[in-house]
Amino acid sequence: MELPDFMSYANKFSQSEFVEKISRIAKRAGAKLVYAALILFYTLQSDKISTKDKAIIIGALGYMISPLDVVPDAIPIVGLSDDLAVLLYVLKKVWTDIDPEIKSRAREKLSKWFDEDEISEIDNLFD
């Protein structure tokens, strides 16, 4: 799948819309998408990440929030696949700069929405 120009969605990102959407779609989206989104969201709040990386994170999270994307979220099963692809693409770009504390914080938040066997999905995050 070819990735869309997710940077054009940067103006769609807001913290409140992110929290609202991730809360609403968590179970349907699956632990992998939610974990990737949470890591990027928490990384965005870090002062240890470059402005350039923050910009691509904002674009990816804006794409996830936007109802207008390549595959509409309302389409069962595949509706969030493009969102996951964009989030994982950006996550791979910044992965080495992500503090282990952020990964831990995201995993802790996952435990509020998912049980342990669902959380095991994240063990193979990039597969």
Side-chain angles (χ1 to χ4, degrees):
M1 169 168 56
E2 186 175 323
L3 290 177
D5 177 18
F6 60 86
M7 288 307 295
S8 64
Y9 291 84
N11 65 339
K12 305 283 186 206
F13 175 76
S14 79
Q15 286 191 3
S16 61
E17 287 184 46
F18 171 80
V19 170
E20 186 277 326
K21 177 148 188 183
I22 206 74
S23 298
R24 184 171 37 86
I25 68 164
K27 276 297 201 182
R28 184 169 59 99
K32 193 179 276 194
L33 183 143
V34 174
Y35 183 62
L38 287 171
I39 288 175
L40 291 174
F41 180 71
Y42 294 144
T43 299
L44 187 60
Q45 298 168 9
S46 170
D47 59 354
K48 298 176 184 174
I49 196 93
S50 73
T51 303
K52 178 184 166 225
D53 286 346
K54 284 185 178 190
I56 64 170
I57 290 170
I58 288 171
L61 294 177
Y63 184 83
M64 187 199 86
I65 291 170
S66 176
L68 304 172
D69 52 24
V70 175
V71 181
D73 295 347
I75 297 174
I77 302 170
V78 298
L80 296 168
S81 61
D82 60 323
D83 294 355
L84 179 60
V86 167
L87 293 175
L88 290 178
Y89 173 80
V90 171
L91 194 56
K92 278 185 180 179
K93 286 189 146 314
V94 299
W95 188 253
T96 57
D97 295 327
I98 296 174
D99 192 301
E101 180 182 310
I102 288 174
K103 295 173 191 174
S104 177
R105 185 174 171 199
R107 187 180 182 100
E108 183 179 315
K109 185 72 169 178
L110 274 185
S111 68
K112 295 181 181 188
W113 290 317
F114 299 95
D115 57 34
E116 219 24 70
D117 63 319
E118 292 171 308
I119 292 175
S120 68
E121 272 185 52
I122 68 170
D123 295 338
N124 300 311
L125 188 59
F126 297 114
D127 293 339

